[in-house]
Amino acid sequence: MHYRRRVVWLAGDGVDGLSHEFDECRFDVSIGQNVWYLRAENPEDKRNWIEVLQSYKTDYPETVSLRRHGSTISLQSNTLSTASGSSLKRVSRGLREKMHEIETYRDILYGQIETLQRYFDVLHQKNEDNTPLDLGDGLRPIDFKGEAITFRETTAGVITTLQHCLDIISQKEESFKKKLDREVDRRKKAEEQYRICKEELSKNRNSTIPGPDLEEGPHSTIPEDEFFDAVETGLDKIEEDRQLRVRLKFQSQQSQISTTSSVIINQETDDGNQQSEDFGTGAQARTHKLWPEIDKICTEQLYQARQGVGDSGNGWQLFADEGEMKMYRREEEVDGMVIDPLKSCHVVKGVTAREMCHYFFDPAYRNDWETTLEDVQIVDNVAPDTLVFLQTYKRIWPASQRDALFWSHMRKITDNLDHGAHDVWVVCNHSNQNEEYPPANQGKCVRIYLTVILVCQTYLTPGKDSKTATRDDLTCKITYCSTVNPGGWAPATVLRAIYKKEYPKFLKRFTGYVLDQCKNKPIMY
């Protein structure tokens, strides 16, 4: 029948090298809106069919064109189902296939329009005797009704395929919209989790940070160099915060300079309990149960502080030498924990021994120069010159948080003064055992055990006394000794590296603080 000249081969071109993606025997034939999905018994049989179809293309070049269907066209439906569009890749492939179909319909329509146009042109030349129409080029007369029906079906196929394209585009747009909505939801959740984690990290920066394998402990997975870097970074951050507080405090004082001097002088000349005549003698503390231990430890530590650090085989090693300040240590460990004794010698001009010990002992000033403190609590007010403290230190990750419970005693030494010394004051701190005060944050905080003594001696310019001397006539010789067991666990190399860096900074910071506090105030002996 004459419709065969409109047979269009759409897929499975083994002759031209365009084989089916999965089945080498598969080929499809489309006529109008109808598509036949055919399969030969073998590849050779398929090639024979292809050659026959190709011959129709050769016979009717004006109306026949070749197109290749994609392999995803369903055997049950010529449309792309909603289920098959779950993958964007498949949706894109389906859309390309529909575009190929539209191109095929376009070629068919061009041929039909040309044929119909030629038919109408010949009508004007029809003979009066109703001779058969001669369309030229040896073409047979056409069935106009058949052509009209085919034209109608072809245009309907175009419209249907366009609708399929719109459906695919809508489906793709809907898929993108759903993906966008999911991404927006995920982003909101991620931002909320980030905010919560940031708040928790800020809240727990100096207390607890989750992750036992990344915290202090004998089984910690952090290498020693990373452990040191983390602690060093934490200490640097604390020092930056301290410097900021100092600057803000200085600016505040400068803004109130007209009233500050009189207030400070009044405060320092009053000095509360430290103005009593028996302050520094231990007279009021002698009745306390801790006194025997306090008196014994102070005497022993003063004796040790007065011993030299020369080459007498006592094991002292010089590790810091900065002008008047020299620092020594002995390497000692107890149960694998570094407790290196430390001894520092320093000379400061412009302050007295009493002033230096006053700022070291009085808890009102401690937060200004001891930067690692988080909280200072007086748990027992034994006497004006003797107090029991519970100090909690800031958490410096990955080290655990630490605290210390100790008594502190300030004493004036009146016997065995060094030659030329005007007076000698000491402050001695020693850890105290008290079951009523377990480590803070029980289970998370490590208790530090310490013994510290600060020995200060005042020297006056020859010919001057306490009444005639100015601050230019004052020289304070300082000896600082400490033995600290940090408790818990930390690499020995890390502890020694931190001590070597932080102890000189601590002594310079403390003496500098005392100089700043005393320079515009009356001398206190």
Side-chain angles (χ1 to χ4, degrees), residues 196-208:
I196 294 174
C197 290
K198 188 176 180 181
E199 291 178 354
E200 288 295 324
L201 181 60
S202 176
K203 187 186 303 180
N204 299 324
R205 185 178 297 276
N206 296 313
S207 55
T208 58

Side-chain angles (χ1 to χ4, degrees), residues 328-362:
Y328 306 83
R329 74 177 179 199
R330 290 202 310 264
E331 292 191 358
E332 294 184 14
E333 294 186 16
V334 174
D335 298 330
M337 181 57 62
V338 173
I339 58 167
D340 294 356
L342 175 79
K343 191 167 191 174
S344 303
C345 302
H346 198 19
V347 176
V348 180
K349 295 185 178 296
V351 295
T352 66
R354 172 74 181 272
E355 291 170 333
M356 193 66 67
C357 289
H358 165 65
Y359 286 102
F360 189 80
F361 171 78
D362 197 326

Side-chain angles (χ1 to χ4, degrees), residues 9 11-14 18-28 37-50:
W9 174 68
D13 187 357
L18 298 175
S19 62
H20 191 274
E21 292 150 336
F22 307 110
D23 190 347
E24 61 181 357
C25 296
R26 155 85 179 271
F27 64 101
D28 306 339
Y37 301 90
L38 307 176
R39 187 176 186 277
E41 292 183 357
N42 51 61
E44 182 64 27
D45 195 17
K46 171 187 169 182
R47 281 194 292 272
N48 292 334
W49 277 100
I50 296 300

Side-chain angles (χ1 to χ4, degrees), residues 22 29 158 235 238 278 337 370 397 433 460 467:
F22 307 110
V29 176
V158 172
L235 291 171
I238 291 175
D278 60 358
M337 181 57 62
E370 194 164 358
W397 186 87
Q433 300 287 350
L460 302 178
K467 294 182 179 180

Side-chain angles (χ1 to χ4, degrees), residues 183-199:
E183 288 297 327
V184 170
D185 291 340
R186 281 197 287 264
R187 179 172 178 175
K188 288 181 179 179
K189 291 179 181 178
E191 290 176 346
E192 180 64 18
Q193 290 175 351
Y194 171 75
R195 183 187 64 79
I196 294 174
C197 290
K198 188 176 180 181
E199 291 178 354

Side-chain angles (χ1 to χ4, degrees), residues 227-245:
F227 195 103
F228 172 77
D229 291 342
V231 173
E232 186 179 38
T233 300
L235 291 171
D236 290 343
K237 180 64 168 60
I238 291 175
E239 178 62 20
E240 291 175 4
D241 293 343
R242 184 195 69 84
Q243 293 177 2
L244 177 60
R245 290 198 305 271

